[in-house]
Amino acid sequence: MVTSGASDTDENTGARSATKAAARQLLAKLGAGGLSLDAVARSSGLAVTDVEAVFPHRDDLLTALVIDAYNESGAAMEAADQAASDARASAGARLLAATRALRQWSFDNPAEFALIYGSPIPDYHAPQDTVPPASRTPAVLAGIVRSGLEAGELTPPRRAVPGPPLLRPEAVELFGGLPEAPFSDIIERGIVLWSNLIGLLVFQVFSRTHDSVRDETAFFDYAIAVAAESVGLVVPPGETSD
């Protein structure tokens, strides 16, 4: 016998799934700024009251979509990095594999990519719940760089960041501690790598490089190899062609 509590849980789960599926479709048409519970209800075939039962406010729905996007893109990077690590690839090759996976996810899910990496959504402020999922991408990069450091694969930088570290404690914790010289600024360099990656993807997903380069896929590999040099990693030349 199915209890009413179990039935209510199943109904809520179904309503959440249907609401998020409809919202993802509307993201591509309206953008995050145009998303509303009324529009999602009409698109999903649910009553507005059913939508409000699982997402009382628009921001609750946006937060759920943001968390899903960060988790899905982070999981894609983690799986690619794990596969490369299992194949005993170098840190540079692992970096390329993980960033390629994020690129593929971004092109497969451009609306979700825009949601988390595009323009800020008017009147929306992401809550603390989004921080752990958002940290999965830099955590993959940090893990790869840390692995390269421990394996002796990093080339010491030619220019150190002047003065004291420019870091918040959370960044040091994510990396696993502050390395000693000559790699004491490797976390700052890793943040540069991370920002370069996201900026490159913004350019490619939003078609900013298509009229400048003949092969955007090959250019992405080249750009990652160049960016990797900033943290002392070498992407093997043979890795930049499939």
Side-chain angles (χ1 to χ4, degrees):
M1 179 177 179
V2 178
T3 66
S4 60
S7 178
D8 289 344
T9 299
D10 290 342
E11 288 180 5
N12 285 344
T13 299
R16 285 181 66 88
S17 298
T19 299
K20 289 198 292 185
R24 288 190 181 100
Q25 293 179 349
L26 289 177
L27 276 178
K29 298 178 182 178
L30 306 176
L35 210 60
S36 71
L37 296 186
D38 286 342
V40 172
R42 288 194 299 271
S43 180
S44 64
L46 296 171
V48 175
T49 53
D50 291 335
V51 172
E52 290 176 341
V54 289
F55 297 109
H57 305 285
R58 181 210 66 159
D59 287 5
D60 299 318
L61 175 57
L62 281 173
T63 295
L65 296 177
V66 166
I67 288 174
D68 284 352
Y70 277 129
N71 278 330
E72 290 168 9
S73 58
M77 293 185 72
E78 291 162 359
D81 178 42
Q82 186 62 56
S85 180
D86 290 345
R88 300 185 181 278
S90 68
R94 286 172 57 189
L95 175 67
L96 184 61
T99 55
R100 279 175 171 174
L102 181 58
R103 180 181 189 268
Q104 187 61 55
W105 178 88
S106 301
F107 275 95
D108 290 343
N109 303 276
E112 287 81 0
F113 175 83
L115 176 66
I116 56 177
Y117 293 122
S119 301
I121 305 167
D123 300 321
Y124 173 74
H125 302 283
Q128 190 67 22
D129 291 352
T130 63
V131 173
S135 298
R136 292 177 71 167
T137 290
V140 172
L141 301 178
I144 293 171
V145 174
R146 183 89 200 184
S147 178
L149 176 63
E150 294 172 350
E153 296 180 25
L154 300 191
T155 300
R158 289 179 294 178
R159 179 201 306 230
V161 174
L166 303 174
L167 303 167
R168 295 175 63 91
E170 295 87 348
V172 178
E173 181 181 359
L174 182 69
F175 190 76
L178 192 65
E180 297 180 355
F183 298 105
S184 55
D185 65 347
I186 198 65
I187 303 177
E188 286 96 336
R189 291 175 177 275
I191 296 171
V192 172
L193 172 64
W194 175 28
S195 60
N196 284 345
L197 167 62
I198 300 305
L200 175 62
L201 287 172
V202 167
F203 261 54
Q204 293 213 323
V205 174
F206 299 151
S207 298
R208 298 292 187 268
T209 55
H210 74 281
D211 57 354
S212 301
V213 299
R214 292 179 296 183
D215 187 332
E216 291 190 86
T217 301
F219 180 76
F220 178 85
D221 289 356
Y222 164 78
I224 293 300
V226 171
E229 295 175 359
S230 68
V231 295
L233 275 180
V234 175
V235 174
E239 300 291 339
T240 57
S241 60
D242 291 323

